[in-house]
Amino acid sequence: MNGGVRPPRVAFIGNVANTGYRAAVGLRAAGIVAHVLVSDCDAGPSRPEHDEPALAAGYPEWIHAGPWITPASVLAPFRAPVVALLRTFDVVLASGPGPIWAQFADRPWAFYVTGGDLTVKPFPWTFRHW
């Protein structure tokens, strides 16, 4: 495909329904290996099936659901199982809480702002009523 060059492997972690899922679909259509990590605790509107109802029947192999956001993974993110998974990719695109783990993956990563992760989450006391 690329003259023997392996296509890049990209992981999306964080607010996947609003940005990561759609971006991964586009990258995959262009021949890039894109995967999405969905946390078991993500609310309905933050899950890929919110955009693509057929996914409610089951995810394809490139969407990884798991217990990524747990108290232990937040308190010791460098030991979180999701970090080991992120290390299998060439680059990580993180949104929402994704930077908590992306920084320990020893891979290039970028913080993709999706709204509340820039305007609300850094100011928990101000937005505590939410």
Side-chain angles (χ1 to χ4, degrees):
M1 175 160 97
N2 293 337
V5 176
R6 173 179 69 80
R9 292 178 45 81
V10 180
F12 289 86
I13 185 170
N15 187 1
V16 297
N18 294 336
T19 55
Y21 172 72
R22 286 288 165 207
V25 168
L27 289 174
R28 292 180 68 80
I32 295 172
V33 179
H35 287 236
V36 172
L37 283 69
V38 178
S39 181
D40 290 344
C41 69
D42 285 344
S46 295
R47 301 182 72 82
E49 54 267 31
H50 185 260
D51 280 359
E52 196 73 47
L55 292 173
Y59 291 140
E61 53 81 26
W62 57 273
I63 299 179
H64 308 271
W68 312 130
I69 303 173
T70 65
S73 74
V74 172
L75 290 173
F78 47 90
R79 288 190 203 147
V82 71
V83 172
L85 180 57
L86 292 174
R87 286 185 179 136
T88 67
F89 293 91
D90 298 318
V91 66
V92 177
L93 295 174
S95 62
I100 294 171
W101 304 282
Q103 64 183 311
F104 296 104
D106 298 323
R107 296 289 184 262
W109 66 280
F111 178 43
Y112 188 86
V113 179
T114 58
D117 45 11
L118 182 65
T119 59
V120 176
K121 290 183 182 179
F123 311 101
W125 184 251
T126 304
F127 291 96
R128 67 191 176 282
H129 60 281
W130 282 19

